[in-house]
Amino acid sequence: AYLNSPSLLDELDEFGSSVLHYAARARENLSLSEMEWLIKVFKLDINLLDITGNSPLLTALERSNYLFSRLLLEHPNVDVTASGKNNPK
């Protein structure tokens, strides 16, 4: 279903997280190439805020997922100031 509607991958699930937020938390479960593939092929919104107001970058940093953090920081569209209601700028 997601492959037919890739925009669904940029939506928050019932727990308030996107695919990239899960990838940011799963440092042992996804390889760097898999994470790059997710972002590139599906053109995911790397700045999408979850229900708590965290971007995937902030989630990755909070989980000490430095490989994913670096991948996001190297992306040309990353917003390093992105924050939500629980993380004011």
Side-chain angles (χ1 to χ4, degrees):
Y2 290 118
L3 295 177
N4 295 330
S5 300
S7 63
L8 292 175
L9 295 173
D10 265 338
E11 292 184 11
L12 301 180
D13 66 7
E14 65 269 18
F15 303 107
S17 293
S18 73
V19 168
L20 286 181
H21 289 95
Y22 285 110
R25 292 184 195 106
R27 63 182 173 175
E28 287 91 27
N29 298 328
L30 287 174
S31 71
L32 191 57
S33 62
E34 290 171 320
M35 291 184 270
E36 287 175 318
W37 181 83
L38 275 174
I39 294 168
K40 183 178 181 180
V41 170
F42 294 105
K43 297 178 176 56
L44 299 180
D45 180 358
I46 62 167
N47 299 308
L48 185 65
L49 301 179
D50 68 11
I51 197 169
T52 63
N54 292 332
S55 67
L57 175 59
L58 186 55
T59 301
L61 289 170
E62 287 176 345
R63 298 292 178 115
S64 301
N65 189 344
Y66 301 120
L67 286 176
F68 194 54
S69 300
R70 183 175 175 178
L71 174 68
L72 293 173
L73 286 168
E74 291 173 352
H75 194 283
N77 297 329
V78 70
D79 180 359
V80 296
T81 65
S83 63
K85 59 188 172 195
N86 293 333
N87 299 301
K89 290 185 180 180

